[in-house]
Amino acid sequence: MKRLYFDILDSTNEKAKRMLRNKEISSDTLIRALEQSSGKGRLGRSWLSKKGEGLYLSIIKEVDINKNPSILTVAAAIAVFKSLESFDVKDLGIKWPNDILIGSKKLCGILSELIEVDGRFFAIIGIGINVNNKSFSEDLTTKATSLFLENVYIDMMDLMDNLELSFEEVYNKVSDRWNLEKIVNFLNDHLIGIGNTVEFNYKGTKFLGIIDGINADGSLRIISEGRLMDIFSGEITLKGLYK
Ligand code: BTN
């Protein structure tokens, strides 16, 4: 994979989009910034991106739009999980759709975006990992953690190298249907909240349900009011997770 490093960017995802549109990069590129001035999170949130605190990168892959590109987000979550596991990080879990937690606190977030350039589609998979953060603001302190706060030391460059390899490995597997099943099983084995009550939005209405698992297309299966519902996007609130 080709790598591009920057000291500071608004957002590695935004930079990736601009460079794709300008034909400055193509598939299989990794963009990293030491710092982001407008780091983006999911659902219009921002992502804290101070220099030296986290690993901020985006991976660009051309996708076949007919082959469920959202599986790439799932692949990224598994890649981060496996990479951290290989550094012996304990108590890891995956919260749907793609947060990596330690215990009940978020360590890593993933923001995947899809853009079209001249009829070709590219997935931009933005990954943010809290590495050296010594503390979080009052509203985040019960919800977020960093490797430092968990007493784990991993050199950021080593983490990035390992993560890239891990991503390629999982990516190659999800392109194959037989392996996809194994990948989904792996995800379900590490999914936080199976059997737990969850609050979610479905077509604008709030529901309570029980998490059943993740489907092969990356959607979340919830049992609510006696029936199965598949949730493709949005946010779920696990009852009793953050206390
Ligand atoms: C989330 O959990 O809300 C997703 C956070 C994603 C953050 C990463 S940091 C690198 C990339 N560039 C961004 O602007 N966002 C993603």
Side-chain angles (χ1 to χ4, degrees), residues 90-95 99-108 130 140-146 150 192-193 196 238-243:
K90 302 276 190 282
D91 215 7
L92 290 165
I94 300 175
K95 178 174 177 264
D99 292 348
I100 308 299
L101 313 192
I102 294 186
S104 62
K105 294 183 170 181
K106 181 159 165 172
L107 179 81
C108 164
N130 300 329
L140 283 181
T141 191
T142 56
K143 294 183 183 170
T145 192
S146 67
E150 301 293 331
I192 288 183
N196 288 11
L238 280 163
K239 294 291 176 192
L241 182 63
Y242 302 122
K243 274 207 182 125

Coordinates of all heavy atoms in Angstrom, one line a residue, residues 90-95 99-108 130 140-146 150 192-193 196 238-243:
K90 N -5.7 -6.6 26.3 CA -6.7 -7.5 26.9 C -8.1 -6.8 27.0 O -8.2 -5.6 26.8 CB -6.4 -7.8 28.4 CG -5.0 -8.5 28.5 CD -5.1 -10.0 28.3 CE -3.9 -10.7 28.7 NZ -2.8 -10.7 27.6
D91 N -9.2 -7.6 27.1 CA -10.5 -7.1 27.4 C -11.1 -6.3 26.2 O -11.9 -5.4 26.4 CB -10.5 -6.2 28.6 CG -11.7 -6.4 29.4 OD1 -12.6 -7.2 29.1 OD2 -11.9 -5.6 30.4
L92 N -10.7 -6.7 25.0 CA -11.2 -6.0 23.8 C -12.6 -6.5 23.4 O -12.9 -7.6 23.6 CB -10.2 -6.3 22.6 CG -8.8 -5.7 22.6 CD1 -8.0 -6.4 21.6 CD2 -8.9 -4.2 22.4
G93 N -13.4 -5.6 22.9 CA -14.7 -6.0 22.3 C -15.0 -5.1 21.2 O -14.4 -4.0 21.0
I94 N -16.0 -5.5 20.4 CA -16.5 -4.7 19.3 C -17.9 -4.3 19.5 O -18.8 -5.1 19.8 CB -16.4 -5.5 17.9 CG1 -15.0 -6.0 17.7 CG2 -17.0 -4.7 16.8 CD1 -14.8 -6.9 16.5
K95 N -18.2 -3.0 19.5 CA -19.5 -2.5 19.6 C -20.0 -2.1 18.2 O -19.4 -1.3 17.5 CB -19.6 -1.3 20.6 CG -21.0 -0.7 20.7 CD -21.0 0.4 21.8 CE -22.4 1.0 21.8 NZ -22.6 2.2 21.0
D99 N -17.1 0.2 16.7 CA -16.2 0.8 17.7 C -15.5 -0.4 18.4 O -16.0 -1.4 18.6 CB -17.1 1.4 18.8 CG -17.8 2.7 18.4 OD1 -17.5 3.2 17.3 OD2 -18.7 3.1 19.1
I100 N -14.2 -0.1 18.7 CA -13.4 -1.1 19.4 C -13.3 -0.6 20.9 O -12.9 0.6 21.1 CB -12.0 -1.2 18.9 CG1 -12.0 -1.5 17.3 CG2 -11.2 -2.3 19.6 CD1 -12.8 -2.8 16.9
L101 N -13.7 -1.4 21.8 CA -13.7 -1.0 23.2 C -12.7 -1.8 24.0 O -12.3 -2.9 23.6 CB -15.1 -1.2 23.8 CG -16.4 -0.8 23.2 CD1 -17.6 -0.9 24.2 CD2 -16.4 0.6 22.6
I102 N -12.3 -1.2 25.1 CA -11.6 -2.0 26.1 C -12.5 -1.9 27.3 O -12.9 -0.9 27.8 CB -10.2 -1.4 26.5 CG1 -9.3 -1.5 25.3 CG2 -9.6 -2.1 27.7 CD1 -7.8 -1.1 25.6
G103 N -13.0 -3.1 27.8 CA -14.0 -3.1 28.8 C -15.3 -2.5 28.2 O -15.7 -2.9 27.1
S104 N -15.8 -1.4 28.8 CA -16.9 -0.7 28.3 C -16.6 0.6 27.7 O -17.4 1.5 27.4 CB -18.0 -0.6 29.4 OG -17.5 0.2 30.4
K105 N -15.3 0.9 27.5 CA -14.8 2.2 27.1 C -14.3 2.2 25.7 O -13.5 1.3 25.3 CB -13.8 2.8 28.0 CG -14.4 3.1 29.4 CD -13.3 3.7 30.3 CE -13.9 4.3 31.6 NZ -12.9 4.9 32.4
K106 N -14.6 3.2 24.9 CA -14.2 3.3 23.5 C -12.7 3.6 23.3 O -12.2 4.6 23.9 CB -15.0 4.3 22.8 CG -14.8 4.4 21.3 CD -16.0 5.0 20.6 CE -15.7 5.5 19.2 NZ -16.9 6.0 18.5
L107 N -12.0 2.8 22.5 CA -10.6 3.0 22.3 C -10.4 3.5 20.8 O -9.5 4.2 20.5 CB -9.8 1.7 22.5 CG -8.3 1.8 22.2 CD1 -7.6 2.4 23.4 CD2 -7.7 0.4 21.9
C108 N -11.3 3.0 19.9 CA -11.1 3.3 18.5 C -12.4 3.5 17.8 O -13.4 2.8 18.1 CB -10.4 2.1 17.9 SG -10.4 2.0 16.1
N130 N -7.1 5.9 20.1 CA -6.6 6.7 21.3 C -5.4 6.0 21.8 O -5.5 4.9 22.3 CB -7.7 6.8 22.4 CG -8.9 7.5 21.9 OD1 -8.9 8.4 21.0 ND2 -10.1 7.1 22.5
L140 N -16.5 12.8 28.4 CA -16.0 11.6 27.7 C -15.3 10.6 28.7 O -15.2 9.4 28.4 CB -15.0 12.0 26.7 CG -15.5 12.5 25.4 CD1 -14.3 12.8 24.4 CD2 -16.4 11.5 24.7
T141 N -15.0 11.1 29.9 CA -14.1 10.3 30.7 C -14.7 8.9 31.1 O -14.0 7.9 31.2 CB -13.7 11.1 32.0 OG1 -12.6 10.3 32.6 CG2 -14.8 11.4 32.9
T142 N -16.0 8.8 31.2 CA -16.6 7.5 31.5 C -16.8 6.6 30.3 O -17.2 5.4 30.3 CB -18.0 7.6 32.2 OG1 -18.8 8.4 31.3 CG2 -17.9 8.3 33.5
K143 N -16.7 7.3 29.1 CA -17.0 6.6 27.8 C -15.7 6.2 27.0 O -15.8 5.4 26.1 CB -17.9 7.4 27.0 CG -19.2 7.7 27.5 CD -20.1 8.5 26.6 CE -21.4 8.8 27.1 NZ -22.1 9.8 26.3
A144 N -14.6 6.9 27.2 CA -13.5 6.7 26.4 C -12.2 6.3 27.2 O -12.1 6.6 28.3 CB -13.2 8.0 25.6
T145 N -11.3 5.6 26.5 CA -10.1 5.3 27.1 C -9.0 5.3 26.0 O -9.2 5.5 24.8 CB -10.1 3.9 27.8 OG1 -9.0 3.7 28.6 CG2 -10.2 2.7 26.7
S146 N -7.7 5.2 26.5 CA -6.6 5.2 25.6 C -5.7 4.0 26.0 O -5.8 3.5 27.1 CB -5.8 6.5 25.7 OG -5.2 6.6 26.9
E150 N -4.8 2.4 29.8 CA -4.9 1.0 30.1 C -3.6 0.4 30.4 O -3.5 -0.9 30.4 CB -5.6 0.3 28.9 CG -7.0 0.8 28.5 CD -8.1 0.5 29.6 OE1 -7.9 -0.4 30.3 OE2 -9.0 1.4 29.7
I192 N -19.9 -7.0 21.6 CA -20.4 -6.6 22.9 C -21.9 -6.5 22.9 O -22.5 -5.9 22.0 CB -19.8 -5.3 23.4 CG1 -18.3 -5.5 23.6 CG2 -20.5 -4.7 24.5 CD1 -17.5 -4.4 24.1
G193 N -22.6 -7.1 23.9 CA -24.0 -6.9 24.0 C -24.9 -7.9 23.5 O -26.1 -7.7 23.5
N196 N -28.2 -8.6 25.2 CA -28.5 -7.5 26.0 C -29.6 -6.6 25.4 O -29.8 -6.6 24.2 CB -27.3 -6.6 26.2 CG -26.2 -7.2 27.1 OD1 -26.3 -8.4 27.4 ND2 -25.2 -6.4 27.5
L238 N -26.6 0.7 24.3 CA -26.7 -0.5 25.1 C -27.0 -0.1 26.6 O -26.4 0.7 27.2 CB -25.3 -1.2 25.1 CG -25.0 -2.0 23.9 CD1 -23.6 -2.3 23.8 CD2 -25.8 -3.3 23.9
K239 N -28.1 -0.7 27.0 CA -28.5 -0.4 28.4 C -27.5 -0.9 29.4 O -27.2 -2.1 29.3 CB -29.9 -1.0 28.7 CG -31.0 -0.4 27.8 CD -31.3 1.0 28.3 CE -32.3 1.7 27.4 NZ -32.3 3.1 27.6
G240 N -27.1 0.0 30.3 CA -26.2 -0.5 31.3 C -24.7 -0.6 30.9 O -23.9 -1.1 31.7
L241 N -24.4 -0.2 29.7 CA -23.0 -0.3 29.3 C -22.1 0.8 29.9 O -21.1 0.5 30.5 CB -22.8 -0.3 27.8 CG -21.4 -0.5 27.3 CD1 -20.8 -1.8 27.6 CD2 -21.3 -0.3 25.8
Y242 N -22.5 2.0 29.8 CA -21.8 3.1 30.4 C -22.3 3.5 31.7 O -23.4 4.0 31.8 CB -21.8 4.3 29.4 CG -21.3 4.0 28.1 CD1 -22.1 4.2 27.0 CD2 -20.0 3.5 27.9 CE1 -21.6 4.0 25.7 CE2 -19.5 3.2 26.6 CZ -20.4 3.5 25.5 OH -19.9 3.2 24.3
K243 N -21.6 3.2 32.7 CA -22.1 3.6 34.1 C -21.0 4.3 34.8 O -19.9 4.0 34.6 CB -22.7 2.4 34.8 CG -24.1 2.2 34.4 CD -24.9 1.5 35.5 CE -26.3 1.2 35.1 NZ -26.6 -0.2 35.2

